[in-house]
């Protein structure tokens, strides 16, 4: 295993860095990364950014907005938030999304610090029923990238103001406010430490588990490549993209995430369709599904017939064809 602790707090650089490790360093079986960002909203690959953030507030406060290459929901980072990434070629889960296994370093590090943490739900880590970490994954050809956003001593006021929380998410949690379900790690520690010291504790754990682990040293050429990729991550096109033309918008939250569609239907046929949401998928190219549905009759039967020609779980992990159909057609 190789490791790298980023010295940069630039979110575009750090996201480009982990993407480089994931896609370009394929001959390294396992890589562990730690990184901290300036105040940032990181949106999931399939999310409609405008619907996830408070645009006026983020602009006024100078909060970065960056899209990652993994699915899942939007998260808020600041300098008291620690992010970790595990990249591995050793993925045995057939669906490619074994969140619990990749959360062990955090759970066990906290246990050594006297804090009991648990993996719950789809992809969360909790302390006393309160979430302190959301996880996301990307998957390509037998290689998985798992990353988690650890709330260490985050400003919840900024988090709440910067992020929009949809009504269906609040209702699905059965609580009045999603904010009441989150907690920082720091108040649960017996002895206060800094976020950087917490990162060092995680590194100590990893080095005990992987005694042969060595730091990866990036060449100047690699760093130049990552810097160029970071510029793409800063672009409006990457982080927002063009809003689709549509005359139908529908969405529904299921146990494994939310799917939302924007579609143009003319003469009872689908002219264009676009998928958004906080779901996960092994095949990141949703245009394949979107193109498949073009010119399909806008009926449950016709849409289902088309979707049954592909492995729907490749695009919407742990969703059924019937659930996806339910989102698309009344």
């Amino acid at each position: 295993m190789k490791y790298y602790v980023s010295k940069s707090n630039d979110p575009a650089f750090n996201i480009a860095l982990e993407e480089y490790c994931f896609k370009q360093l394929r001959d390294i079986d396992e890589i562990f990364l730690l990184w901290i960002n300036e105040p940032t909203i990181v949106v999931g690959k399939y999310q409609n950014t405008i619907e996830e953030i408070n645009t006026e507030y983020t602009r006024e406060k100078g909060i970065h907005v960056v899209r990652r290459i993994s699915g899942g929901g939007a998260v808020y980072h600041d300098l008291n938030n620690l992010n970790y990434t595990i990249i591995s070629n050793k993925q045995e889960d057939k669906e490619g999304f074994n969140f619990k296994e990749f959360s062990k370093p955090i759970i066990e590090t906290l246990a050594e610090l006297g804090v009991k943490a648990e993996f719950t739900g789809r992809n969360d880590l909790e302390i006393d029923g309160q979430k302190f970490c959301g996880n996301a994954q990307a998957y390509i050809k037998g290689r998985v990238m798992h990353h988690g956003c650890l709330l260490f001593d985050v400003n919840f006021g900024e988090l709440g103001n910067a992020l929009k929380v949809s009504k269906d998410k609040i209702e699905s949690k059965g609580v009045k406010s999603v904010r009441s379900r989150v907690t920082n790690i720091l108040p649960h520690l017996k002895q206060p430490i800094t976020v950087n010291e917490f990162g060092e504790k995680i590194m100590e754990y990893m080095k005990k588990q992987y005694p042969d682990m060595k730091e990866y040293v990036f060449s100047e050429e690699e760093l130049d490549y990552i810097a160029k990729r970071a510029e793409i991550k800063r672009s409006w096109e990457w982080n927002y993209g063009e809003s689709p033309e549509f005359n139908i918008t529908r969405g529904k939250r299921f146990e494994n995430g939310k799917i939302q569609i924007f579609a143009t239907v003319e003469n009872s046929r689908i002219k264009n369709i676009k998928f958004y949401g906080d779901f996960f998928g092994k095949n990141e190219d949703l245009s394949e599904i979107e193109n498949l549905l073009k010119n399909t009759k806008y009926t449950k039967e016709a849409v289902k017939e088309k979707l049954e020609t592909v492995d729907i779980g490749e695009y919407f992990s742990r969703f059924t064809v019937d659930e996806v159909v339910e989102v698309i057609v009344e």
Side-chain angles (χ1 to χ4, degrees):
M1 176 181 277
K2 297 289 188 181
Y3 76 89
Y4 184 78
V5 179
S6 177
K7 298 176 180 62
S8 173
N9 300 130
D10 175 1
F13 177 85
N14 284 328
I15 285 178
L17 173 77
E18 67 166 5
E19 182 181 350
Y20 178 82
C21 293
F22 179 44
K23 293 184 175 180
Q24 305 300 325
L25 301 182
R26 298 292 297 273
D27 57 333
I28 301 177
D29 283 341
E30 293 181 291
I31 304 172
F32 182 74
L33 306 172
L34 282 179
W35 41 292
I36 294 174
N37 283 336
E38 295 175 345
T40 307
I41 293 177
V42 182
V43 296
K45 177 176 176 60
Y46 308 113
Q47 291 190 295
N48 186 341
T49 303
I50 290 294
E51 292 200 350
E52 300 298 328
I53 70 170
N54 182 333
T55 306
E56 184 176 343
Y57 188 85
T58 54
R59 187 183 299 118
E60 176 188 330
K61 295 292 184 176
I63 296 171
H64 303 281
V65 177
V66 182
R67 185 183 298 280
R68 62 179 185 267
I69 64 168
S70 58
V75 292
Y76 175 77
H77 294 181
D78 67 18
L79 293 170
N80 278 305
N81 179 113
L82 181 65
N83 304 286
Y84 75 102
T85 305
I86 300 173
I87 297 167
S88 176
N89 289 334
K90 301 173 182 177
Q91 177 53 262
E92 297 178 0
D93 190 324
K94 291 181 181 179
E95 295 200 51
F97 294 95
N98 186 345
F99 288 101
K100 189 173 183 178
E101 181 64 24
F102 284 104
S103 300
K104 279 178 64 177
I106 308 306
I107 292 173
E108 295 187 11
T109 298
L110 285 170
E112 291 179 357
L113 294 171
V115 179
K116 183 182 178 182
E118 299 177 294
F119 181 88
T120 65
R122 182 173 63 137
N123 61 330
D124 295 342
L125 294 179
E126 293 185 354
I127 299 171
D128 294 334
Q130 293 180 299
K131 175 179 174 178
F132 70 92
C133 177
N135 295 283
Q137 289 184 357
Y139 186 89
I140 51 170
K141 298 177 182 176
R143 187 169 173 86
V144 65
M145 178 179 74
H146 174 105
H147 41 202
C149 164
L150 297 163
L151 301 176
F152 185 78
D153 190 23
V154 170
N155 184 328
F156 287 136
E158 290 287 80
L159 183 155
N161 290 329
L163 283 174
K164 292 180 181 177
V165 180
S166 60
K167 184 172 180 287
D168 63 357
K169 186 168 187 177
I170 293 173
E171 290 175 346
S172 75
K173 299 296 183 183
V175 292
K176 292 181 180 178
S177 171
V178 171
R179 194 183 304 183
S180 68
R181 291 189 65 252
V182 297
T183 187
N184 278 312
I185 292 170
L186 182 59
H188 300 275
L189 299 177
K190 293 179 180 179
Q191 297 292 329
I193 58 177
T194 67
V195 66
N196 288 311
E197 288 170 335
F198 181 58
E200 290 168 6
K201 295 288 185 185
I202 294 174
M203 283 304 308
E204 287 173 12
Y205 170 85
M206 293 299 292
K207 287 177 179 178
K208 280 190 290 185
Q209 297 299 310
Y210 302 90
D212 295 329
M213 184 167 69
K214 290 183 170 55
E215 183 176 12
Y216 186 81
V217 179
F218 290 94
S219 68
E220 287 301 318
E221 290 77 13
E222 287 176 307
L223 291 173
D224 286 344
Y225 177 88
I226 292 167
K228 288 175 183 175
R229 292 293 300 171
E231 288 306 310
I232 295 173
K233 305 297 184 190
R234 272 186 259 278
S235 70
W236 183 92
E237 289 77 12
W238 172 258
N239 294 313
Y240 291 87
E242 295 183 9
S243 297
E245 295 181 6
F246 65 92
N247 54 27
I248 292 175
T249 178
R250 289 172 50 78
K252 185 170 181 179
R253 183 169 294 280
F254 299 89
E255 181 182 354
N256 291 302
K258 179 179 180 178
I259 299 177
Q260 185 179 29
I261 65 106
F262 290 78
T264 301
V265 176
E266 293 181 359
N267 299 320
S268 298
R269 288 183 178 272
I270 297 172
K271 181 181 177 183
N272 287 298
I273 188 167
K274 187 77 175 172
F275 288 92
Y276 293 99
D278 60 6
F279 51 86
F280 297 100
K282 289 171 67 175
N283 189 331
E284 63 181 36
D285 188 5
L286 290 180
S287 67
E288 295 175 6
I289 289 284
E290 292 161 353
N291 290 331
L292 176 71
L293 291 171
K294 285 183 179 179
N295 205 37
T296 301
K297 285 184 180 179
Y298 190 61
T299 66
K300 284 189 174 182
E301 295 75 17
V303 170
K304 183 175 181 177
E305 184 179 348
K306 278 287 182 72
L307 293 180
E308 285 180 336
T309 65
V310 299
D311 180 358
I312 203 69
E314 285 284 310
Y315 303 91
F316 306 97
S317 181
R318 297 187 169 92
F319 280 82
T320 66
V321 168
D322 286 335
E323 286 174 329
V324 179
V325 171
E326 187 179 342
V327 175
I328 298 171
V329 191
E330 193 73 54

